Amino acid sequence: GGIGRRAGLKIQYSQECVGSTPSAGTFHREHQLFSPFAARELDCSAFMSQENDTTLRALKMYKGLVEVSALINAITDFNELLTAILDVARRVTNSEAGSLFLVNADRNLELAIARASNAELPEGSRIVVPRGQGIAGWVLANRKSSLVVDAYADPRFYKEVDKKTGFRTRSILCVPLLHDHKEIGVLQVLNPLDKEAFDETDLEAFEAYGTLAATAIDKLQTIERQKQQARVDQELLFAREIQNSFLPQDLPEVPGLGFAATYRPALNIGGDFYDVLEIGPDEIYFVAGDVSGKGIPAALLMAQSLSTLRLIIKPDVAPDEALARWNEMLCGHSVRGMFITAILGRITPSRRLVEVASAGHCQPFRVAANGNATLLEVRNSPPLGIVGGLKYHVTSASLSPREWLVFYTDGLTESFSPGNIMLDTTGVQQLLSPNDFGSAVDIVNRLQTGEEEHRGTAAPHDDLTILALGFQ
C-alpha cells in the first residue's frame, strides 16, 4: 500500500512538473504535503488529539464522581445536597442547563431544582412530569438512561416547554436515579457548551454520576425521614403529656367510697377520657367518654370537651340537664363528622345513690356483693355534638356495700385477639364474675389484665378507659 501510494505521488509529481523544474524548496514543500508518511503522522496526531480530548472529558466527569461521593458525607442539608448535585452535574458535563426531578407520592416526577448557565431558573408553580411522558418520564418508566443527540428529532421530546421559556434544547443527557431498586428521581443536563451534542463518553460517565447522586439523595432522604419521625415522636410525647394533664391526677378520697381508673390510648394519644369531680360535701360527678376517631384530632376534641364540661357542672345540676347543655355547646364548635359518646353520673354518698345519663355510650356493669356481674340498663340518647335540642334521661341505682359500677369505653369490648376474636360484653362479664372484689382497684386490674391476655400479641384496636366506683 505504501509503495502504491508512493508510486502515485511520483506520477502526480511528474505530471505537475512537466515543462518546469521545481526548486529545491518547492520539492521539499510538495514532499511534506504529499508524503504518505507525513499524512499518516497528521492522521495519527488528529486521532491522538481526539483521544486526549475524550480522555480529558472522561477524567473531568469522573472527577465529578469523586466530588459527589464526598458530598454524601459532607452535606447534611437536603436542599443543599440537591443544589450541589445539580451544580456538579452541569460543571462536569459543561452544560448550559440542568434539572433534577424527584419521584412524588403518585410515582410521577416532580421538579426539585433547575439551573441555567446565566442564572437559576425561576421557581414557578409546581411542575409535575407524568411517568412515561417526555424524555424524563420515559427514563423513569423504563429505568434506562437516554442520550438525545437532537432533541427536536426525538418524538419523546416535549417542545412546548421551549416555546414557553424561550430556551432552545439541542441535546440531552438523562439518567434515572435508582438505589437498591428504589426509584429516587431523574437527573438531566441540556446542551453542552463546547460542542453541538453529547456523546456516549458523556453518557457513560454521567450514568456513574447518577448512581452516586441517587445514593446521596436516598441517604439524606432517610436521615430526613428519621429526623421528621423524631420530631413527630417528640411532639406526640408533649401532646400526650398535655392530654394526660386534662385527666385527673388523683381521684377523690371519700370515706366509704372507692374509685379506680385506667386509661390507655391505642396510639400515642387518643380520644378517650374520664374525670371525677367533687362538687360539694355530698355531691360527686364522674364521666367516661369516647371521641370518635383516634390521634391528634380526637385528643384536641377530648381536651375541648372536658374543659367545656367542667364549666357546666355545678351544684344541684342533674346529669341529664348537664348532658343537654354539654351537647348544645359541642354542636356549635365540634368538627364535622366527629362526635362524642359519654356517660355522666352523680353520686350522693349519704344516700349511696348513683344517677347516670348516657349519650350513646356503652352500658355499664353492676357487680353485686356476691360477685355476679350484670349490665345496668341505662336509657341511651344520641351521642354529643351531632344535633342540638336533645333530651337525656336519668337512671338511678342504690348501691349496697361491696357493690360496684364499672364504666368503660368500647376499647374494652372491642379488643381483638390475634385470631380476630372480639372480647365483647360477654367476655367482659366473664372477667368480672364470679368474683368477690375487695376494692375498685381490684376490678380495674382484673379487667386490664384480662384484656391484655385476650389481645395477646395483637395491637390495640382502640383507646381503652375503665372507671370503677362503689361503696366499701
Side-chain angles (χ1 to χ4, degrees):
I3 295 172
R5 283 195 297 273
R6 284 195 294 274
L9 283 172
K10 288 179 181 179
I11 294 169
Q12 182 180 19
Y13 178 78
S14 300
Q15 291 173 342
E16 289 175 352
C17 295
V18 172
S20 64
T21 304
S23 66
T26 302
F27 178 82
H28 181 69
R29 288 194 299 271
E30 294 291 334
H31 179 74
Q32 282 187 322
L33 182 62
F34 294 105
S35 168
F37 300 105
R40 188 178 299 172
E41 288 174 3
L42 287 172
D43 290 344
C44 184
S45 176
F47 174 77
M48 289 298 293
S49 176
Q50 183 179 359
E51 283 293 299
N52 286 338
D53 179 63
T54 301
T55 303
L56 287 173
R57 286 194 294 115
L59 287 174
K60 187 178 180 181
M61 293 282 280
Y62 285 107
K63 181 182 177 183
L65 301 185
V66 176
E67 194 171 339
V68 77
S69 180
L71 291 174
I72 295 175
N73 297 318
I75 297 180
T76 57
D77 180 79
F78 186 68
N79 291 326
E80 183 181 347
L81 177 68
L82 297 185
T83 301
I85 286 174
L86 190 57
D87 287 345
V88 173
R90 288 184 53 243
R91 186 167 68 252
V92 299
T93 57
N94 196 21
S95 303
E96 186 177 354
S99 55
L100 195 159
F101 295 83
L102 297 178
V103 176
N104 63 16
D106 299 324
R107 299 185 67 237
N108 293 317
L109 288 173
E110 188 164 340
L111 182 65
I113 185 172
R115 286 277 200 273
S117 56
N118 52 351
E120 183 175 353
L121 294 178
E123 296 182 3
S125 58
R126 179 171 173 250
I127 298 176
V128 176
V129 176
R131 172 182 293 268
Q133 295 187 20
I135 303 293
W138 183 92
V139 166
L140 175 67
N142 291 274
R143 294 189 168 205
K144 291 174 61 178
S145 301
S146 183
L147 165 60
V148 180
V149 175
D150 184 353
Y152 279 76
D154 194 310
R156 300 169 300 173
F157 179 62
Y158 186 63
K159 305 176 183 66
E160 293 301 317
V161 175
D162 276 12
K163 291 181 181 178
K164 291 179 181 178
T165 61
F167 186 85
R168 176 70 180 184
T169 304
R170 300 191 319 272
S171 181
I172 304 172
L173 280 181
C174 191
V175 296
L177 301 179
L178 307 172
H179 182 70
D180 290 338
H181 306 290
K182 175 184 175 183
E183 295 177 345
I184 306 296
V186 165
L187 178 64
Q188 68 178 11
V189 288
L190 313 175
N191 301 354
L193 293 171
D194 54 352
K195 55 187 175 180
E196 186 62 26
F198 295 111
D199 56 32
E200 291 292 339
T201 302
D202 299 320
L203 179 62
E204 182 181 354
F206 198 54
E207 285 177 332
Y209 181 83
T211 300
L212 284 178
T215 302
I217 292 172
D218 184 67
K219 177 182 177 181
L220 273 199
Q221 281 181 332
T222 301
I223 293 174
E224 284 295 312
R225 284 193 295 268
Q226 291 172 345
K227 288 181 179 178
Q228 184 176 9
Q229 186 59 50
R231 287 193 295 268
V232 170
D233 292 342
Q234 187 64 41
E235 289 172 0
L236 288 176
L237 178 61
F238 290 150
R240 185 168 186 172
E241 291 176 357
I242 293 171
Q243 184 185 35
N244 286 337
S245 70
F246 282 88
L247 301 175
Q249 305 304 304
D250 298 295
L251 298 176
E253 296 182 5
V254 180
L257 183 61
F259 294 97
T262 186
Y263 167 73
R264 184 220 64 209
L267 304 175
N268 287 301
I269 55 177
D272 278 11
F273 59 89
Y274 72 93
D275 204 356
V276 180
L277 303 169
E278 195 169 4
I279 304 302
D282 200 31
E283 193 172 14
I284 300 172
Y285 256 95
F286 65 88
V287 65
D290 183 3
V291 177
S292 62
K294 304 178 184 68
I296 293 177
L300 291 174
L301 185 54
M302 164 264 185
Q304 177 195 27
S305 302
L306 267 182
S307 300
T308 302
L309 179 62
R310 287 166 182 163
L311 295 175
I312 294 171
I313 292 177
K314 292 179 172 53
D316 300 323
V317 177
D320 56 338
E321 183 183 354
L323 271 185
R325 293 182 186 176
W326 198 15
N327 181 55
E328 293 303 314
M329 294 183 74
L330 290 176
C331 281
H333 298 91
S334 63
V335 179
R336 183 189 306 175
M338 299 188 72
F339 58 87
I340 300 169
T341 68
I343 191 161
L344 182 65
R346 179 174 63 179
I347 306 171
T348 308
S350 62
R351 298 168 56 192
R352 295 181 178 271
L353 178 66
V354 179
E355 303 165 278
V356 294
S358 180
H361 202 70
C362 309
Q363 298 287 293
F365 278 96
R366 183 171 185 168
V367 183
N370 62 9
N372 290 326
T374 57
L375 285 173
L376 178 66
E377 297 295 334
V378 177
R379 187 176 174 182
N380 247 325
S381 294
L384 305 167
I386 298 177
V387 60
L390 295 178
K391 291 185 178 181
Y392 296 89
H393 311 277
V394 172
T395 300
S396 300
S398 295
L399 299 184
S400 303
R402 300 177 70 85
E403 192 172 14
W404 312 96
L405 290 178
V406 183
F407 305 90
Y408 55 92
T409 58
D410 55 11
L412 178 62
T413 53
E414 295 180 5
S415 174
F416 289 90
S417 69
N420 208 34
I421 298 173
M422 192 166 67
L423 183 60
D424 210 347
T425 53
T426 302
V428 176
Q429 189 173 26
Q430 291 173 350
L431 290 174
L432 288 172
S433 60
N435 280 296
D436 182 14
F437 294 108
S439 68
V441 173
D442 293 340
I443 294 176
V444 170
N445 288 341
R446 173 62 178 149
L447 291 177
Q448 191 173 12
T449 302
E451 186 275 334
E452 290 173 353
E453 291 175 350
H454 172 80
R455 184 164 45 83
T457 57
H461 174 72
D462 202 354
D463 306 331
L464 170 65
T465 296
I466 304 170
L467 173 65
L469 59 89
F471 292 95
Q472 299 168 328

